[in-house]
Amino acid sequence: MRRILAFLILSTVKSISWVLFRAKSSWLTDVPKDHWKKARLYVFLNHTSLYEPIFIQLLPFSYLWHLADHMNVPGADITLNRPLVGRFYKLMIPNIASVSRKKDSTWDNYLKSIDKDSVIMIAAEGRMKRPNGLDKSGKPMTVRGGVADIIENIDEGGMVLAFSGGLHHIQAPGQTLPKVFKTIHMNLSYFDISEYKKQFPENPRERKIKMVQDLQIRLIRDCPDPSLNK
């Protein structure tokens, strides 16, 4: 029953997004056949708004059925504790885990929940970018080490890097209502996880640092030009 409810919500979000927004996406890498089903990890980069589920428009309905049963998502406790937004995310993603912004037991418990059938989705920066380009504390947006922890826990399958063009033109943090009939942009890259990990040092600590640095470079380089937003 929970899978059916999650699928209906995902499908509804996709349909509403298709009506209200125009999505444009580009692959920056070659992709294998059935790349959606082969992907075990989706890394979302350039987190700018809680309205980002509208990017579901890019996924086929058949794959939404798969996600409804296998999504395993770490969600910020501050977001999931919100009365309306938190409830919506919990209904849409039955396997969403509340984690704090610190590397504590909540994060360790999340990592233990990952199994061979999990499809993980994570916003790698761990917080939202404000219109001034910084987070709410005035600090630069950077990729955090949690995504490298997840990559270390996966030995096969694919990883999709999803580079958002930003949604401040639709709804910036602090604004109440979104603007509709706008164009949203996303660039995508696909990597085989085992091959991706081979390019980094064998020492776990060094490998984690290098992976985070690599994702940070890609975040700066591969996001769509925000001037395209209309």
Side-chain angles (χ1 to χ4, degrees), residues 16-36:
I16 293 174
S17 174
W18 185 83
V19 172
L20 297 181
F21 305 99
R22 182 186 180 190
K24 292 186 176 182
S25 63
S26 298
W27 284 97
L28 305 180
T29 61
D30 294 331
V31 293
K33 185 178 180 181
D34 296 330
H35 54 275
W36 294 125

Side-chain angles (χ1 to χ4, degrees), residues 48-51 82 85 128-131 167-180 182:
T48 59
S49 172
L50 291 178
Y51 277 89
R82 294 184 180 185
V85 175
M128 285 191 294
K129 180 192 292 185
R130 269 51 186 179
L167 294 183
H168 287 152
H169 64 306
I170 291 175
Q171 193 259 9
Q175 294 179 341
T176 304
L177 298 175
K179 299 175 183 178
V180 296
K182 301 289 185 178

Side-chain angles (χ1 to χ4, degrees), residues 162-209:
F163 302 95
S164 166
L167 294 183
H168 287 152
H169 64 306
I170 291 175
Q171 193 259 9
Q175 294 179 341
T176 304
L177 298 175
K179 299 175 183 178
V180 296
F181 307 119
K182 301 289 185 178
T183 301
I184 57 178
H185 298 267
M186 178 170 282
N187 287 338
L188 301 150
S189 295
Y190 181 95
F191 300 92
D192 178 87
I193 291 176
S194 62
E195 293 299 319
Y196 180 78
K197 290 162 72 171
K198 287 179 182 178
Q199 64 182 298
F200 301 108
E202 293 186 5
N203 179 276
R205 178 174 175 76
E206 292 181 14
R207 183 165 61 243
K208 179 176 180 177
I209 292 172

Side-chain angles (χ1 to χ4, degrees), residues 101-102 124-127 135 142-148 212 215-216:
R101 296 181 184 274
K102 301 177 181 178
E125 296 138 300
R127 67 264 201 226
D135 68 13
T142 55
V143 174
R144 294 192 169 179
V147 64
V212 170
L215 293 174
Q216 181 67 30

Side-chain angles (χ1 to χ4, degrees), residues 36 44 50 63 68 70-71 115 141 161 173 183 185 192 208:
W36 294 125
F44 191 87
L50 291 178
Y63 188 58
H70 297 289
M71 269 194 297
D115 60 34
M141 296 290 289
L161 303 183
T183 301
H185 298 267
D192 178 87
K208 179 176 180 177

Side-chain angles (χ1 to χ4, degrees), residues 112-154:
K112 292 176 183 176
S113 75
I114 298 173
D115 60 34
K116 62 181 180 62
D117 294 321
S118 296
V119 178
I120 302 123
M121 296 184 175
I122 183 173
E125 296 138 300
R127 67 264 201 226
M128 285 191 294
K129 180 192 292 185
R130 269 51 186 179
N132 63 1
L134 306 174
D135 68 13
K136 68 177 182 180
S137 300
K139 297 180 179 179
M141 296 290 289
T142 55
V143 174
R144 294 192 169 179
V147 64
D149 292 335
I150 293 174
I151 294 173
E152 286 290 349
N153 277 266
I154 304 175

